[in-house]
């Protein structure tokens, strides 16, 4: 899948409160890319990820997935598109506290009235080392385990691309390292496109293509 973002800008507020969160960002993402984006707090990382994944709309600019204009979809089409093609991993895990790990993981499928593919579910939860934890509630799991459940949820509908917004930001360095290693493994094994935001340079270096963002302006650092 080919993703093209063209001159995406996001401006919040007006007058004295005007903030240019994102300034004409253009970016092309090819199938199987592993991209990292690094930048200081407030530089526009989350804003960019929300725009690229259709969670939010830009002030100006366009976004296409295989030529299809994403911001032209209506709300219903866009939610369906996002559930089926895009996985999103949040810094705060965002698991539903009253559902077990397994119920959290399969939730995106249920919303589309689809049955989980048990073999794929087994493969995923094995890769993530959480198969023995599936009947637990989120509060019974460590932070690292909760994030691994969230990763399984992001992957359960077999999306083409996975976006992760500081996936290790709430974890200690050991469990953060494990989570990143698993994400990279899954990326290699399942051939997904992966876009990871981080302010950890050791994580940024795992990617094939490294970007930095400063004051809403994106630039590519390396292309391996
Ligand atoms: P990062 O993820 O790199 O920390 P963000 O993308 O969250 O940065 O924010 C970029 C800039 O946009 C910051 O100055 C932030 O304060 C501002 N911003 C983000 N969301 C909003 C919002 N909903 N309303 C007003 N300003 C916002
Ligand atoms: Mg952020």
């Amino acid at each position: 899948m080919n993703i093209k973002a063209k001159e995406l800008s996001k401006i919040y507020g007006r007058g004295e409160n005007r903030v240019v969160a994102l300034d004409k960002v253009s970016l092309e993402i090819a199938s199987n890319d592993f991209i990292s984006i690094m930048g200081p707090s407030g530089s526009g990382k989350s804003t960019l990820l929300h725009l690229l994944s259709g969670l939010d709309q830009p002030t100006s600019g366009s976004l296409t997935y295989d030529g299809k204009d994403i911001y032209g979809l209506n709300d219903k089409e866009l939610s369906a598109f996002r559930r089926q093609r895009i996985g999103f991993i949040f810094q705060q895990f965002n698991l539903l506290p009253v559902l077990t790990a397994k119920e959290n993981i399969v939730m995106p499928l249920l919303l589309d009235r689809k049955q989980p593919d048990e073999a794929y579910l087994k493969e995923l939860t094995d890769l993530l080392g959480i198969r023995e934890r599936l009947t637990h509630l989120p509060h019974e799991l460590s932070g690292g385990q909760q994030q691994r459940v969230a990763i399984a949820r992001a992957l359960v509908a077999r999306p083409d691309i996975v976006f992760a917004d500081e996936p290790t930001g709430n974890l200690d360095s050991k469990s953060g390292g494990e989570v990143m290693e698993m994400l990279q493994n899954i990326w290699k094994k399942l051939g997904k496109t992966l876009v990871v935001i981080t302010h950890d340079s050791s994580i940024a270096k795992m990617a094939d293509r490294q970007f930095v963002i400063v004051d809403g302006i994106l630039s590519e650092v390396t292309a391996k």
Side-chain angles (χ1 to χ4, degrees):
M1 193 173 53
N2 182 272
I3 302 172
K4 268 189 197 151
K6 229 168 153 183
E7 304 213 330
L8 289 180
S9 292
K10 183 76 177 181
I11 297 166
Y12 291 110
R14 356 162 160 193
E16 278 182 18
N17 298 323
R18 189 172 186 272
V19 176
V20 181
L22 218 58
D23 195 0
K24 293 191 179 151
V25 167
S26 296
L27 169 65
E28 204 166 322
I29 303 174
S31 288
N32 302 327
D33 269 355
F34 177 4
I35 287 177
S36 67
I37 303 173
M38 237 177 75
S41 180
S43 57
K45 302 183 298 295
S46 295
T47 301
L48 175 59
L49 221 58
H50 292 167
L51 293 182
L52 289 175
S53 61
L55 262 177
D56 197 6
Q57 301 253 348
T59 308
S60 60
S62 68
L63 174 69
T64 57
Y65 275 62
D66 285 339
K68 181 183 181 138
D69 172 18
I70 295 306
Y71 303 133
L73 299 175
N74 67 34
D75 284 354
K76 208 175 151 203
E77 292 166 337
L78 183 59
S79 333
F81 181 82
R82 294 191 64 252
R83 278 204 305 276
Q84 292 155 16
R85 309 288 296 274
I86 296 174
F88 205 101
I89 299 164
F90 302 87
Q91 180 176 343
Q92 328 277 356
F93 325 136
N94 287 10
L95 299 175
L96 292 170
V98 296
L99 299 185
T100 64
K102 180 161 182 188
E103 289 165 344
N104 267 285
I105 293 170
V106 301
M107 179 54 76
L109 296 176
L110 300 185
L111 290 171
D112 275 325
R113 297 196 184 82
K114 286 187 188 141
Q115 286 305 310
D117 168 347
E118 290 296 334
Y120 178 58
L121 209 57
K122 181 175 179 300
E123 183 186 5
L124 263 186
T125 51
D126 274 341
L127 278 169
L128 289 161
I130 50 173
R131 209 144 70 79
E132 310 304 320
R133 293 284 177 276
L134 291 177
T135 57
H136 291 244
L137 293 170
H139 76 87
E140 298 168 335
L141 302 171
S142 70
Q145 288 168 339
Q146 289 185 57
Q147 191 59 304
R148 287 184 264 145
V149 169
I151 293 172
R153 177 183 58 184
L155 288 159
V156 75
R158 301 179 189 271
D160 301 295
I161 181 162
V162 174
F163 294 100
D165 191 352
E166 305 201 35
T168 65
N170 271 23
L171 304 175
D172 60 66
S173 62
K174 181 168 172 284
S175 44
E178 284 166 8
V179 159
M180 271 316 298
E181 220 162 274
M182 285 173 183
L183 254 186
Q184 194 179 28
N185 258 340
I186 284 174
W187 168 70
K188 281 185 189 149
K189 221 168 187 148
L190 304 180
K192 303 287 179 197
T193 309
L194 182 59
V195 181
V196 176
I197 280 182
T198 181
H199 46 232
D200 180 337
S201 63
S202 64
I203 290 175
K205 286 184 188 128
M206 295 167 95
D208 295 310
R209 297 175 67 198
Q210 294 174 47
F211 290 79
V212 290
I213 184 165
V214 178
D215 291 337
I217 296 171
L218 184 77
S219 32
E220 184 154 8
V221 185
T222 58
K224 268 185 204 162

